[in-house]
Amino acid sequence: MIPPIASNFVAGETPEAALAHVEGLNNRGVAGILNLLGEHYEERPPADADANAYVDLVEAIAERGVDACVSVKSSQIGLDIADDVFEENLARIVEAANPPSATGPDGTGTFVWIDMEDHETTDVTLDAFERHAVETDGNVGVCVQANLKRTREDLERLADLPGKVRLVKGAYDEPAAISYKKKARVDESYRDCLAYMFEAFDDGVAVGSHDPAMIDYAKQLYADHGTPYEVQMLTGVRESAQFELAAEDDVKVYQYIPYGSKWFSYFYRRIRERKSNALFALRAIIGN
């Protein structure tokens, strides 16, 4: 059983609980991004098992007809074992999400996000995204992190590809040689990257942020460039703001929804990654 402090951030332990959570969000105009908790497997059986669970999940999303997609971590489906294990499992998930008789919006399948983890996973994750973005005509997305110094150049590579790109500030404590450490500098990088995305991307800009200043900046960029975009926030964080944004006509709002039996490691990791996360979690509980 998930205790109350963690249940603010995790939708439940089963796919049924997660899908029920999505249905409640859909009724209030918010879409869902479902993430089965699990990561950094060093043996193949649990990686294959989670990949199988994602295959079942995308089929359940299509059957239920909910407004939802999925998000997968590379280390969860085999990257820590071998690149080819990750690539094989990701291909199975993407294939299941894009069946010949797809039932999603405009005849597309279930959208698949590929989460970004620490800097050692960046290249293989971007390579996988590029391959599947072309093969599915853009029915996959990838996350990039503004705290990494390389991200602005990565966006130039991604600009002409189909698919979506989620920009986040970055939660991993990366080496100073390759990342920005000061909050003000990360914010500056986020703004620069976001401005480039609205200027250079035709579509597929995903603003992964709870920062009101960044969301307001995205609104300004949309007014300037007209590039379609969406806002993504976590379960349990600024949920009232999510529903308020969803009521606006010019932006779609997604809630990133973790679920599964490994809720403790997820919750603990988010709190211990940075001291600011602990304060953020406390504010979220008190403020929602």
Side-chain angles (χ1 to χ4, degrees):
M1 181 177 177
I2 303 176
I5 189 172
S7 64
N8 283 279
F9 305 98
V10 180
E13 295 189 281
T14 66
E16 178 59 35
L19 289 167
H21 182 84
V22 170
E23 288 178 333
L25 291 175
N26 288 174
N27 289 335
R28 301 189 67 177
V30 175
I33 304 174
L34 292 169
N35 171 243
L36 172 63
L37 292 169
E39 58 189 305
H40 295 300
Y41 296 138
E42 296 180 353
E43 296 181 355
R44 181 148 192 173
D48 288 347
D50 277 11
N52 291 338
Y54 271 109
V55 169
D56 292 341
L57 181 61
V58 297
E59 292 172 352
I61 288 171
E63 290 173 2
R64 293 277 284 261
V66 294
D67 189 356
C69 53
V70 301
S71 197
V72 183
K73 283 186 168 56
S74 303
S75 71
Q76 177 180 18
I77 57 172
L79 186 57
D80 288 353
I81 303 163
D83 288 4
D84 62 342
V85 176
F86 158 62
E87 292 163 1
E88 178 183 326
N89 278 331
L90 178 62
R92 289 200 296 118
I93 296 167
V94 173
E95 182 178 2
N98 293 273
S101 56
T103 58
D106 303 320
T108 59
T110 301
F111 196 88
V112 177
W113 282 97
I114 311 169
D115 280 343
M116 190 65 73
E117 298 179 81
D118 64 55
H119 72 279
E120 294 180 349
T121 71
T122 304
D123 287 320
V124 68
T125 302
L126 293 181
D127 289 345
F129 166 73
E130 182 170 2
R131 181 168 59 256
H132 289 293
V134 172
E135 291 175 354
T136 65
D137 193 26
N139 207 38
V140 295
V142 72
C143 179
V144 296
Q145 300 169 109
N147 66 333
L148 292 181
K149 296 177 180 178
R150 62 173 287 170
T151 294
R152 179 62 171 74
E153 292 185 3
D154 287 335
L155 288 171
E156 294 178 9
R157 167 189 175 183
L158 301 173
D160 293 329
L161 292 172
K164 297 180 183 179
V165 178
R166 175 200 302 147
L167 179 66
V168 300
K169 291 185 181 181
Y172 293 90
D173 188 12
E174 304 284 18
I178 63 168
S179 68
Y180 304 117
K181 308 303 289 185
K182 294 184 178 180
K183 180 183 181 302
R185 186 63 185 88
V186 175
D187 286 352
E188 180 184 345
S189 174
Y190 194 97
R191 287 177 174 273
D192 176 65
C193 289
L194 199 61
Y196 175 78
M197 293 171 74
F198 273 88
E199 293 168 3
F201 285 31
D202 293 328
D203 197 355
V205 176
V207 182
S209 179
H210 305 96
D211 186 341
M214 298 306 169
I215 294 171
D216 286 345
Y217 188 49
K219 292 180 182 180
Q220 176 187 325
L221 291 168
Y222 172 75
D224 292 342
H225 302 284
T227 309
Y229 77 109
E230 61 194 49
V231 173
Q232 300 180 4
M233 298 188 193
L234 291 168
T235 297
V237 182
R238 297 195 69 222
E239 289 196 343
S240 59
Q242 295 177 33
F243 299 131
E244 289 171 5
L245 279 171
E248 300 180 7
D249 293 333
D250 57 358
V251 60
K252 185 164 185 176
V253 178
Y254 284 84
Q255 185 178 113
Y256 187 99
I257 307 166
Y259 78 95
S261 61
K262 300 179 177 67
W263 59 266
F264 180 80
S265 58
Y266 165 80
F267 179 70
Y268 180 66
R269 179 174 62 81
R270 291 208 67 85
I271 297 303
R272 69 188 283 269
E273 275 169 0
R274 292 185 178 180
K275 292 179 181 178
S276 60
N277 285 356
L279 297 174
F280 201 64
L282 180 60
R283 287 198 300 269
I285 295 168
I286 296 172
N288 274 333

